[in-house]
Amino acid sequence: MAWHDGTVTVPLTPPDQPGPHDPWQAPPSGSHLAYASGPQDDPDTATELRQAALVAVLVALAGIVLGLLWLWLAPRVPLVSDDTAVFLKNSEGEEAIGADGTFVLLALGFGALSAGAVFWRLRRGGVLVVVGLALGALAASLIAWRVGVWLGPSSDVVARAREAGRGVTFDAPLELHAVWAAVLAWPFAAMGIHLLLTAAFGPRDPEPEWAGFSGYYGGAVQGPLAGAGASGGPVEPSAGPAEASGSAGPAEPSGPAGPSGPGGPSSSAGGGGAG
């Protein structure tokens, strides 16, 4: 679309096409997404594998501490024998549920501590470190369970009843009733706490930039619209050669000669009178 005035042609942008500096149009050709340069201290795969293995081993060894604490803090279930059978001394007691609850609470605490320690030491660790933390936590729960059962009262209830004698109270074996719910408490707690710490305090990825796109909006306007006013209206046409020359232009053609001109009626008449 263009506006014509004989000597001036001003191209105008069609209303249905974006302008040359429309922020919504596609980036210029040759642009590509590039990331800002930053510190590249992320570990490689081999280093990350070693870190993951170390985390798994250390967290698994911490299960021994959990097993000892569980054996120390878990309530005991009292039993009694009458030489023919073994009975619960308190049939309405909650000691059995208390043993499971103690294990779960300790596992949740150990999960939070292990996740915090791993995040503090290996903040830039990748996915393999997180997998090592999860596997180590699962192994630690299993180790703690077996340590508590192994070091606790014997599982041979009949032999212990015979040793204790008739009517003598003795402790039942330490065991978990909801095994998988208690064993998975440590891994789930570790994963949840580590995720929260990473989201709140973890390193951020660099923001992407369009290479070759910088300065696209900041440059001067090029083309015929460079002289347009701030209002964005059309450019006024410049004065033509005739208007610029002023009085030097060609004179307007005059009308026919008046009556007093040569050859006019007056001259004829005068000539007749003179004759």
Side-chain angles (χ1 to χ4, degrees):
M1 177 180 178
W3 177 72
H4 300 275
D5 187 22
T7 59
V8 179
T9 300
V10 180
L12 300 178
T13 302
D16 57 345
Q17 296 183 6
H21 297 278
D22 187 2
W24 296 105
Q25 66 177 347
S29 60
S31 300
H32 61 277
L33 189 63
Y35 287 90
S37 59
Q40 301 295 330
D41 54 351
D42 294 337
D44 55 6
T45 304
T47 304
E48 193 173 345
L49 281 173
R50 291 193 297 268
Q51 293 175 350
L54 180 62
V55 167
V57 171
L58 292 179
V59 174
L61 291 177
I64 300 176
V65 181
L66 173 59
L68 295 176
L69 288 176
W70 180 46
L71 177 63
W72 177 37
L73 298 176
R76 300 292 188 266
V77 180
L79 300 177
V80 63
S81 172
D82 59 355
D83 290 340
T84 58
V86 177
F87 304 95
L88 289 171
K89 184 176 183 180
N90 185 7
S91 59
E92 297 181 357
E94 299 178 354
E95 291 84 2
I97 300 177
D100 286 28
T102 302
F103 187 94
V104 170
L105 290 177
L106 289 173
L108 292 176
F110 273 78
L113 290 177
S114 59
V118 170
F119 179 79
W120 175 58
R121 294 295 300 175
L122 302 173
R123 180 171 301 186
R124 288 191 173 273
V127 178
L128 294 179
V129 174
V130 179
V131 172
L133 174 61
L135 295 178
L138 181 60
S141 295
L142 294 174
I143 292 174
W145 172 39
R146 299 315 302 171
V147 166
V149 172
W150 179 49
L151 297 179
S154 174
S155 58
D156 191 352
V157 178
V158 176
R160 295 201 59 201
R162 290 175 180 174
E163 293 176 0
R166 181 187 179 92
V168 178
T169 303
F170 59 96
D171 295 333
L174 186 62
E175 59 183 358
L176 290 175
H177 296 85
V179 177
W180 287 111
V183 165
L184 292 177
W186 189 335
F188 275 95
M191 293 297 97
I193 297 299
H194 192 276
L195 178 62
L196 292 177
L197 291 176
T198 303
F201 307 105
R204 298 293 186 266
D205 293 334
E207 295 292 336
E209 296 180 354
W210 283 101
F213 204 65
S214 59
Y216 179 65
Y217 297 108
V221 179
Q222 303 294 333
L225 296 180
S231 61
V235 180
E236 295 294 335
S238 59
E243 296 178 5
S245 59
S247 59
E252 293 294 332
S254 59
S260 60
S266 302
S267 301
S268 301

